[in-house]
Amino acid sequence: MTRDAPPHSPGNGQTAPLASWRLWWRKQSPTRQDRFVTLGPLLAVMLFLAAVIAAFGYLRLEEIDREQQAVKRDVEYAQQRLRLRLLERQEQLMRLGRDVSNREVDSDEFVAQAESLVNQYPELMAVTWVDARRKVKSAYTSPSANATQIRASGDLLKQGETEGTFGLARDLRQPVYSRPLTVKDDASYNAPSLQLHVPLDDQGKFGGVILGEYSFDGLLRFGVPTEVSAKYAVALLDDQGKLLAGNLPPPRNTAAKLLPWSDEAQEYEIPVSPVGNGLLLKAQGYRASLGVVGSGFFWLVSALSALTVWMLVGTWRHTRRRVQAQEALITETNFRRAMENSMLTGMRALDLQGRITYVNPAFCQMTGWSEGELVGRTAPFPYWPDQDRETLAARLDDELHGRTTPGGFEVRVKRKSGAIFDGRMYVSPLIDSRGQQTGWMTSMTDITEPKRIREELSASYERFTTVLEGLDAAVSVAPLGSEELLFANKLYRAWFGAEVSGHMNLIAQAGVPVVPPVDDAMDPVDGLAGFPTDTLTAAQTENAEIFVPDLAKWLEVRSRYLTWVDGRLAQMVIATDITPRRHAEEQAAQQAERAQSASRLITMGEMASSVAHELNQPLTAINNYCNGMVSRIKGQQITNEDLLIALEKTAKQAHRAGQIIQRIRSFVKRSEPNRTSSDVATMVSNAMELADIELRRHNVRLSHYIAARLPTVMVDPILIEQVLINLMKNAAESIAQARRPAARRSVELRVVPKIIEDQSVVEFSVLDSGKGLSPEVMGRLYEAFYSTKAEGMGIGLKLCRSIVESHQGRMQAENLYNGEEVVGCRFTFWIPVTPLLLPATAAAEATPTRAGI
């Protein structure tokens, strides 16, 4: 049997006799007995009240359900009566429609029958004969109808008034009821009405409708039985809940219907057939009796229950105050005990003679000795290590005489298992409630792990400092807005000393913004404290290459922001000596320039025979003109005019030869790199003039397309012309090797603007009709000293790609196919219109790398 469960509870498993109950009761604590004494009767009364309320609630719900069923039954009966009345009027109008369709009734007879129907059935306000064109042929309206409902022969139905219902009756050829219509008369009185459209048949065609209009007030008055109207408030509503006829009391809160004193009657609504969901019949019953509220039994039980509850509440409140006082005392005691037990700091109390009077669980857990083994012991204590007993005895003597330091002291403590750990002890006097010192209170914490971490951090700091001191880069850290140098490694001190000026000069030359020092730079409070620094410290490193004249070195400077150990925002600078790399880059640039010049000379050497043939033509013409003039002058057979014409032709041929020589000299001239804003059309024209000489030697036609209004590009025009000449020369040689017929020996040059990789570029394409490139050649196309020509050196295309990439462009090659047959090759390269000038490129261009001749 458990302490908390009575004998008959499920935890006991069997029914106990009265003796068992008494035994269980004596086992309970006084506080728990008081709780049973006070809460037991109160719980019984609350259960009794709940049963009474549930009984009355059940009776009330039964009464509401009976009333609801009665309302539902009467409303459905009224709906059936209203439905029968509408169907009778519908049948009468359909018979009238058949007579009209069979031409048995003319307009006068129609008016007479309509008048008879309207007078006989008051809910019918008007009967109208409408033809297929929505024109009124004959109509009769009740004298009590609104003026807007009167229709004369020849009138047209208003647009929107019956348009939907009229069209539906025409399409279905069946009687159709309209939605409730609201018509305003001259006095702005809303007169809702219901229309019935009965279609007419004119020899198989739609001949119009018989329009019957009902008054909702008439339908409600004459269609609903009087016995229903006497018991309920009946109304007709549309599908939006708008009141069409009748009246209803204002709605009340639904929850109020469940209250015993509520006089809220039940209500029910149902669609009116055959009109449909557009017309609802709603009824709300009048309260006829008070039901259970009318009997005095309810009020008697309520009064007695309230009196009983009031008396018990008074007794319960008095008893509860006593129980609360006891519980507060127990809670306070348990809280203090729990607080002592949950502390991670070991507590030990000594009396004035040095005897242990108290230890908490944390102290026992640290040492491994139980409270019974420690309380009452005197020095030497069992947790003292053997080798430290003299030292600890001296400390205990100082402790008993009040000679301890406020910051505590470190000791070594031995566990019961023999293990040793480091601890820190703090001593304070123990004062009783009368202000008298009764002993000493000692607190002890285990510092083994923090001490180990501190030693590891110290070793890690030493290793980190050793690595930084051995770096071949100068590292420095300085706070923003201050002239203090927080850190500098060995190389930085060798270059700049221990001054912050070197750090600032590196940042200034690298172009990194710095915060100028302010007057309170020596203030220990950071001037940037409070500002968010996550964005700065998370930013990528900024790089720059600078030349330091004092050191005569090129340095690569990298800087970034970081948060220093004291929380201040600082800037770290790493400067690396790149002087050997810069010298190597300059030498590489000079070698590349020499290779480009050699390539141009090789190209012109390969074109020497073609150039000689090209120069031979104007020189032969000059020789012929000169010989002819000499012969005619000797024979005195030339006039001054003929002589002038011959001299002009001779000068023209000489100018042509000079242009060819000047173009060749400009192409092969070795000069400084000069990137200028160049016109694309001019570069292409100069390249075509030189390449066309070689193409004519191979009997190859050159066609070109240069887009209009091309932008200027920042390039070295001689280098770009070298690329174009090389590509067109290779294209002509490929065609010659393929032995294409004369009709297919052509090279096409296209220059167009494009958008590639989200930047504006100018694309150059050279297309030939040769045999294309094999997969092996395509894989080794830009490999140095690889050539498919017997006399080739294999450096042309590699230099071309290097030139294009130095202008931040790209080059590619692809075969042209006709089905599966290779019909040529296309070399394409593009140059950006506005290239991004990298720092390394800018520095390289600023440094002389070649000399002109």
Side-chain angles (χ1 to χ4, degrees):
M1 182 187 303
T2 61
R3 179 180 178 88
D4 296 333
H8 66 278
S9 66
N12 188 37
Q14 60 183 354
T15 303
L18 182 59
S20 299
W21 268 97
R22 291 175 180 173
L23 179 61
W24 174 81
W25 180 257
R26 285 195 297 269
K27 290 182 179 179
Q28 307 304 312
S29 63
T31 303
R32 186 167 299 176
Q33 292 177 3
D34 291 339
R35 189 177 295 117
F36 275 109
V37 170
T38 56
L39 295 182
L42 182 60
L43 182 60
V45 171
M46 297 303 295
L47 291 176
F48 170 73
L49 289 178
V52 172
I53 293 173
F56 279 103
Y58 176 75
L59 294 176
R60 178 58 178 160
L61 291 176
E62 286 291 329
E63 184 178 5
I64 292 174
D65 184 64
R66 288 195 303 271
E67 292 179 357
Q68 183 67 29
Q69 292 297 328
V71 172
K72 180 178 179 182
R73 183 172 58 253
D74 293 338
V75 172
E76 290 179 350
Y77 169 66
Q79 188 266 353
Q80 291 295 330
R81 289 288 301 273
L82 191 59
R83 174 176 175 274
L84 291 175
R85 195 170 185 89
L86 287 173
L87 291 177
E88 289 176 359
R89 303 294 87 74
Q90 177 180 329
E91 182 63 29
Q92 290 172 346
L93 292 177
M94 291 176 64
R95 285 199 298 269
L96 180 58
R98 283 194 296 269
D99 294 340
V100 172
S101 299
N102 296 334
R103 306 183 188 279
E104 298 176 359
V105 176
D106 56 7
S107 297
D108 296 336
E109 182 64 22
F110 176 82
V111 172
Q113 292 190 23
E115 181 180 3
S116 175
L117 288 174
V118 171
N119 293 334
Q120 186 177 359
Y121 305 106
E123 70 273 12
L124 196 58
M125 299 298 296
V127 180
T128 307
W129 180 3
V130 183
D131 62 9
R133 295 188 298 276
R134 302 172 61 87
K135 184 176 181 182
V136 177
K137 297 188 65 176
S138 182
Y140 177 77
T141 306
S142 173
S144 61
N146 295 324
T148 56
Q149 293 178 306
I150 299 176
R151 296 184 178 87
S153 299
D155 292 347
L156 288 174
L157 295 181
K158 298 179 182 178
Q159 291 290 336
E161 180 183 9
T162 60
E163 182 176 354
T165 311
F166 183 86
L168 193 59
R170 178 186 59 204
D171 297 337
L172 299 178
R173 302 292 179 90
Q174 292 180 2
V176 178
Y177 286 90
S178 68
R179 296 174 59 84
L181 303 176
T182 301
V183 182
K184 291 186 177 181
D185 57 11
D186 296 337
S188 299
Y189 171 76
N190 291 333
S193 63
L194 178 67
Q195 294 182 352
L196 172 61
H197 292 249
V198 179
L200 300 177
D201 184 69
D202 185 11
Q203 296 180 359
K205 298 181 181 179
F206 178 69
V209 297
I210 300 297
L211 175 61
E213 297 185 66
Y214 297 90
S215 169
F216 288 112
D217 289 333
L219 287 174
L220 187 63
R221 185 182 307 166
F222 300 102
V224 177
T226 56
E227 59 271 21
V228 176
S229 301
K231 294 171 58 178
Y232 305 99
V234 185
L236 289 175
L237 309 175
D238 62 5
D239 54 355
Q240 302 297 327
K242 182 179 179 182
L243 184 65
L244 301 175
N247 54 7
L248 292 173
R252 295 182 59 185
N253 188 4
T254 305
K257 298 179 182 180
L258 299 177
L259 299 178
W261 52 85
S262 173
D263 60 352
E264 183 73 16
Q266 302 302 317
E267 61 184 20
Y268 184 71
E269 64 181 19
I270 187 173
V272 178
S273 177
V275 178
N277 294 330
L279 183 62
L280 303 176
L281 177 64
K282 183 175 182 180
Q284 182 173 337
Y286 300 115
R287 186 77 175 176
S289 65
L290 297 179
V292 295
V293 181
S295 78
F297 174 71
F298 171 78
W299 296 110
L300 178 61
V301 173
S302 300
L304 292 176
S305 301
L307 180 60
T308 304
V309 170
W310 178 75
M311 294 175 64
L312 287 176
V313 166
T315 305
W316 173 72
R317 291 179 61 186
H318 174 73
T319 308
R320 186 183 62 174
R321 284 193 292 270
R322 188 184 69 179
V323 173
Q324 287 177 347
Q326 294 178 353
E327 290 180 348
L329 179 59
I330 296 174
T331 302
E332 181 69 18
T333 304
N334 293 335
F335 173 74
R336 291 181 179 274
R337 176 63 64 179
M339 185 170 59
E340 293 177 3
N341 294 338
S342 62
M343 290 180 60
L344 300 179
T345 301
M347 306 296 295
R348 181 199 65 180
L350 299 177
D351 59 12
L352 296 178
Q353 288 74 34
R355 182 180 292 105
I356 298 177
T357 58
Y358 167 79
V359 288
N360 70 339
F363 191 91
C364 297
Q365 184 178 4
M366 286 183 186
T367 60
W369 300 89
S370 66
E371 182 180 0
E373 294 172 328
L374 293 177
V375 174
R377 296 291 295 268
T378 58
F381 300 121
Y383 51 82
W384 283 4
D386 297 336
Q387 61 272 26
D388 297 340
R389 287 193 174 187
E390 294 182 1
T391 304
L392 293 176
R395 286 190 178 276
L396 179 61
D397 184 68
D398 293 339
E399 180 181 344
L400 295 177
H401 291 84
R403 295 193 296 267
T404 58
T405 58
F409 53 89
E410 290 188 13
V411 295
R412 289 171 10 110
V413 182
K414 181 179 71 173
R415 290 190 174 93
K416 189 174 183 179
S417 61
I420 304 295
F421 69 92
D422 295 318
R424 176 172 287 273
M425 285 189 173
Y426 302 87
V427 181
S428 60
L430 186 61
I431 309 298
D432 62 7
S433 59
R434 294 173 297 181
Q436 300 294 327
Q437 180 177 356
T438 60
W440 301 91
M441 177 61 69
T442 305
S443 62
M444 182 177 65
T445 56
D446 186 355
I447 63 171
T448 304
E449 185 64 18
K451 189 174 182 180
R452 183 188 63 82
I453 295 175
R454 188 163 54 248
E455 292 174 353
E456 290 182 356
L457 286 177
S458 178
S460 176
Y461 174 78
E462 292 179 1
R463 291 193 297 270
F464 180 70
T465 305
T466 303
V467 171
L468 286 181
E469 293 292 337
L471 285 177
D472 59 350
V475 181
S476 59
V477 181
L480 296 184
S482 174
E483 294 185 353
E484 176 188 2
L485 188 63
L486 299 176
F487 175 81
N489 69 342
K490 180 179 179 180
L491 187 58
Y492 178 90
R493 295 192 300 271
W495 284 352
F496 306 104
E499 302 296 331
V500 75
S501 58
H503 178 92
M504 296 299 180
N505 292 335
L506 290 177
I507 294 176
Q509 292 188 44
V512 180
V514 296
V515 178
V518 294
D519 296 338
D520 57 351
M522 300 305 294
D523 195 336
V525 179
D526 188 1
L528 301 176
F531 288 92
T533 60
D534 294 343
T535 305
L536 285 175
T537 56
Q540 295 183 354
T541 304
E542 300 181 6
N543 296 354
E545 295 182 2
I546 62 174
F547 181 76
V548 182
D550 295 341
L551 303 176
K553 296 178 183 294
W554 280 94
L555 301 180
E556 181 185 22
V557 180
R558 291 171 291 172
S559 67
R560 67 169 299 162
Y561 297 97
L562 52 84
T563 303
W564 194 240
V565 293
D566 57 0
R568 286 186 290 174
L569 184 63
Q571 191 171 22
M572 179 176 65
V573 175
I574 302 176
T576 306
D577 186 3
I578 59 170
T579 304
R581 192 192 76 188
R582 291 300 299 263
H583 291 165
E585 290 176 352
E586 292 174 1
Q587 293 177 2
Q590 294 175 2
Q591 294 295 335
E593 174 58 25
R594 295 191 188 99
Q596 292 167 5
S597 300
S599 176
R600 291 196 294 271
L601 292 173
I602 292 171
T603 300
M604 295 311 302
E606 294 174 351
M607 296 171 55
S609 60
S610 301
V611 172
H613 177 73
E614 188 70 14
L615 288 174
N616 186 49
Q617 294 181 359
L619 293 177
T620 302
I622 292 172
N623 183 44
N624 293 336
Y625 285 133
C626 290
N627 291 334
M629 286 186 292
V630 170
S631 300
R632 296 183 65 180
I633 290 174
K634 288 181 178 180
Q636 298 181 355
Q637 298 176 354
I638 187 171
T639 62
N640 291 336
E641 290 78 6
D642 294 339
L643 182 60
L644 182 61
I645 292 173
L647 289 174
E648 289 177 350
K649 292 181 178 180
T650 303
K652 184 176 181 180
Q653 294 297 325
H655 179 68
R656 178 186 174 190
Q659 281 184 329
I660 295 173
I661 295 173
Q662 181 63 29
R663 182 64 58 200
I664 295 173
R665 181 177 181 276
S666 299
F667 178 71
V668 300
K669 181 181 179 182
R670 192 174 173 207
S671 61
E672 298 294 333
N674 184 21
R675 292 193 183 185
T676 60
S677 181
S678 305
D679 181 63
V680 176
T682 302
M683 290 190 301
V684 174
S685 176
N686 294 340
M688 288 173 56
E689 288 184 13
L690 291 178
D692 190 51
I693 299 174
E694 182 70 9
L695 266 64
R696 287 200 303 271
R697 185 174 72 87
H698 291 289
N699 194 21
V700 175
R701 297 187 309 276
L702 175 62
S703 61
H704 66 278
Y705 171 75
I706 304 175
R709 296 187 295 276
L710 286 172
T712 59
V713 290
M714 186 65 66
V715 297
D716 188 334
I718 298 299
L719 296 180
I720 301 303
E721 290 176 14
Q722 178 179 351
V723 174
L724 290 173
I725 292 173
N726 202 343
L727 294 180
M728 289 186 286
K729 175 176 170 293
N730 288 347
E733 293 174 350
S734 176
I735 295 173
Q737 291 178 0
R739 301 182 183 276
R740 299 295 188 189
R744 295 180 58 186
R745 300 172 73 89
S746 64
V747 173
E748 180 182 1
L749 173 62
R750 295 179 60 85
V751 184
V752 295
K754 278 192 174 182
I755 301 295
I756 299 177
E757 298 179 0
D758 298 330
Q759 59 178 334
S760 299
V761 303
V762 177
E763 184 184 73
F764 302 82
S765 300
V766 177
L767 295 82
D768 63 60
S769 56
K771 290 185 178 180
L773 302 173
S774 64
E776 178 186 0
V777 174
M778 188 71 75
R780 305 179 63 184
L781 192 60
Y782 302 108
E783 183 179 331
F785 307 112
Y786 174 77
S787 176
T788 58
K789 296 180 290 186
E791 301 83 5
M793 297 182 62
I795 62 173
L797 287 178
K798 178 175 176 57
L799 285 176
C800 288
R801 188 175 72 167
S802 300
I803 292 172
V804 171
E805 291 180 350
S806 69
H807 288 82
Q808 301 181 26
R810 296 292 182 270
M811 173 181 283
Q812 62 182 4
E814 59 181 343
N815 288 329
L816 302 178
Y817 292 89
N818 183 10
E820 297 183 357
E821 179 186 1
V822 178
V823 296
C825 181
R826 172 168 56 202
F827 277 83
T828 304
F829 70 92
W830 53 263
I831 303 296
V833 175
T834 54
L836 298 175
L837 193 59
L838 301 177
T841 307
E845 292 189 355
T847 305
T849 59
R850 59 183 183 177
I853 57 175

